[in-house]
Amino acid sequence: MLKDVRLNPHLLTVPSYVGGKPIEQVQHEYGLSDVVKLGSNENPIGPSPLAVAAFHAALHDANRYPGIADQRLRHKLADCINARSGTTFTCDHFITANGLSDFLRMAAHAFIFDGGESIYCAPTFPLYSIFTKMFGGTPIGVPHAEYRYNLPAIAGAITERTRLIFLCNPNNPTGTIVSRDEVAAFMERVPPSVVVILDESYHDFVDDPGYSNGLDYVQAGRETVIVLRSFSKAYGMANLRIGYAIAAPPMIAYLQHAQIPFNTGDPILRAAIAALDDTAHVQRVRQLAQSEREYLYRGFTELGLGFVATQANFILLTRLPCDVKTLDRELLQRGIIVRPMGGFGMPDAVRVTIGLRAENERLLRALSEILQPL
Ligand SMILES: *Cc1c(COP(=O)(O)O)cnc(C)c1O
């Protein structure tokens, strides 16, 4: 019987991750056919057609274990990033994962043991604390300053037990960034024994020229900095599960010890390689998010809703004239999925992903219907 089995106490402290509601579930529960999902920061345009074709072509070899596509992708990433950023990375600077979620697990496995601590600003991406606990560590969430990552507070919380710092930039769920100068001042205060993970999942959406680029630290040879980049957001490949980290080759070689062999498959890796060639596609996704931001800001302001100005493809609504449960239910009844922020530690806030114009229009119309009688 399970009660007779010795269970891992660390796993029992870990809450299950609650993702955004899937479209099919809402269709089924509410009897709707036309459902709009603005809950999980997905790209509403879809993946590049080049990625879809590459995926299909590679399916014919589904009987084989993954081959050299992983190495190809890491070479391609080095070439693309070097061409764009003037860096001198090689494929040894890259490690791929089954989504960045898988990488975050690898990092926690690699650095959190013997009761190590991690630090981040709360609220942020829930997996930082979840994986710290999973590996028997203690997550320390210091508060934001005005919805922005408070780097001096993180620096002040560093102890001898600190192993990992998670810096989410832009931060999910607030959409705010920290600047190049702020990150530089912070890095000065991080001791050499502490690993800094710069989660730049949303970097494609940033237009603020003061934004910090984590790659500068890797290029400068700082071996304890790891930069994360995603194919799930701007590249529209969330369902394929592929992400990557960039760090100095000795760090990458160490992290490989925590990597599961064949952690993702060739169709996915080849789709990612092809997606990197379609720069026009990513550009369209970026421009849509940037222009629709302004449209939603105007709509929220007219409705008297408080929001945090964003550098990402989502907006945090902070001042709601009704409770979040009611708002969420009313929106679901109208076929609109948003993300209540209870699971992120903000029970009074809602995060909405920036969608296509028609989707954003539908959201604003539904909000005005729901909020009017109040
Ligand atoms: C979406 C997201 C990720 C990436 O998740 P995947 O597992 O790659 O889909 C990582 N970090 C943050 C902050 C995110 O919002």
Side-chain angles (χ1 to χ4, degrees):
M1 300 298 279
L2 188 59
K3 68 176 173 41
D4 301 313
V5 175
R6 228 182 119 213
L7 303 179
N8 181 338
H10 304 311
L11 290 185
L12 296 174
T13 68
V14 172
S16 309
Y17 180 75
V18 182
K21 270 197 186 337
I23 289 174
E24 270 181 281
Q25 183 185 334
V26 174
Q27 286 172 328
H28 180 73
E29 280 177 18
Y30 292 83
L32 298 167
S33 55
D34 185 13
V35 171
V36 166
K37 187 175 177 199
L38 302 173
S40 300
N41 302 343
E42 294 152 351
N43 139 8
I45 295 179
S48 157
L50 299 185
V52 175
F55 183 91
H56 274 292
L59 271 182
H60 296 290
D61 292 322
N63 56 318
R64 304 284 174 205
Y65 275 98
I68 59 167
D70 180 63
Q71 205 186 349
R72 286 260 169 83
L73 173 58
R74 288 183 292 116
H75 273 291
K76 178 100 188 170
L77 285 167
D79 290 347
C80 291
I81 290 175
N82 290 343
R84 202 173 344 121
S85 314
T87 46
T88 52
F89 299 145
T90 65
C91 79
D92 296 335
H93 284 82
F94 294 84
I95 187 167
T96 57
N98 194 254
L100 283 181
S101 308
D102 176 41
F103 180 82
L104 290 166
R105 178 198 53 79
M106 282 159 58
H109 199 178
F111 298 109
I112 301 290
F113 47 87
D114 297 345
E117 292 178 357
S118 70
I119 315 176
Y120 48 83
C121 258
T124 188
F125 196 46
L127 288 183
Y128 306 153
S129 72
I130 288 177
F131 286 135
T132 301
K133 287 183 189 165
M134 189 178 281
F135 290 99
T138 305
I140 312 273
V142 302
H144 286 274
E146 303 284 318
Y147 296 108
R148 291 179 68 244
Y149 240 70
N150 187 343
L151 295 181
I154 294 185
I158 296 173
T159 69
E160 323 79 83
R161 290 179 304 278
T162 306
R163 307 273 177 76
L164 272 183
I165 292 171
F166 295 102
L167 205 178
C168 194
N169 194 25
N171 183 46
N172 178 7
T174 54
T176 52
I177 60 163
V178 281
S179 72
R180 194 180 298 117
D181 293 348
E182 288 171 306
V183 175
F186 167 73
M187 287 297 193
E188 296 269 316
R189 295 181 62 185
V190 177
S193 58
V194 173
V195 173
V196 180
I197 295 188
L198 299 169
D199 186 338
E200 298 183 349
S201 291
Y202 298 96
H203 84 109
D204 292 292
F205 299 104
V206 175
D207 57 10
D208 185 327
Y211 180 55
S212 161
N213 185 345
L215 298 180
D216 294 344
Y217 293 92
V218 180
Q219 177 64 24
R222 188 147 166 174
E223 292 189 349
T224 50
V225 170
I226 303 171
V227 180
L228 308 188
R229 298 281 169 95
S230 170
F231 281 102
S232 295
K233 308 291 158 52
Y235 284 86
M237 292 167 52
N239 206 344
L240 294 191
R241 313 308 304 135
I242 174 81
Y244 61 100
I246 310 150
M251 170 63 88
I252 295 294
Y254 173 61
L255 287 164
Q256 281 166 348
H257 292 279
Q259 192 178 28
I260 293 168
F262 307 123
N263 61 348
T264 196
D266 276 357
I268 292 164
L269 294 160
R270 296 215 178 264
I273 293 168
L276 288 169
D277 281 328
D278 201 346
T279 49
H281 186 78
V282 183
Q283 189 59 19
R284 264 197 302 283
V285 175
R286 184 199 340 264
Q287 274 164 2
L288 176 77
Q290 288 174 348
S291 62
E292 288 302 296
R293 253 177 216 165
E294 304 297 327
Y295 175 73
L296 283 171
Y297 288 169
R298 282 196 299 279
F300 294 149
T301 304
E302 277 168 25
L303 293 167
L305 297 171
F307 61 88
V308 182
T310 187
Q311 281 288 301
N313 66 339
F314 54 83
I315 301 174
L316 187 71
L317 294 173
T318 52
R319 225 178 37 245
L320 300 167
C322 61
D323 74 271
V324 166
K325 266 214 175 77
T326 309
L327 182 72
D328 187 41
R329 193 188 52 238
E330 293 280 340
L331 284 172
L332 287 171
Q333 282 167 356
R334 290 167 175 80
I336 299 171
I337 305 170
V338 296
R339 192 71 164 274
M341 288 284 98
F344 283 64
M346 298 180 108
D348 299 325
V350 165
R351 191 191 66 199
V352 299
T353 306
I354 300 169
L356 303 170
R357 170 57 63 93
E359 296 174 329
N360 299 332
E361 244 168 35
R362 193 165 146 189
L363 171 71
L364 291 175
R365 211 174 325 116
L367 283 171
S368 93
E369 261 174 50
I370 297 163
L371 301 176
Q372 219 82 98
L374 293 173

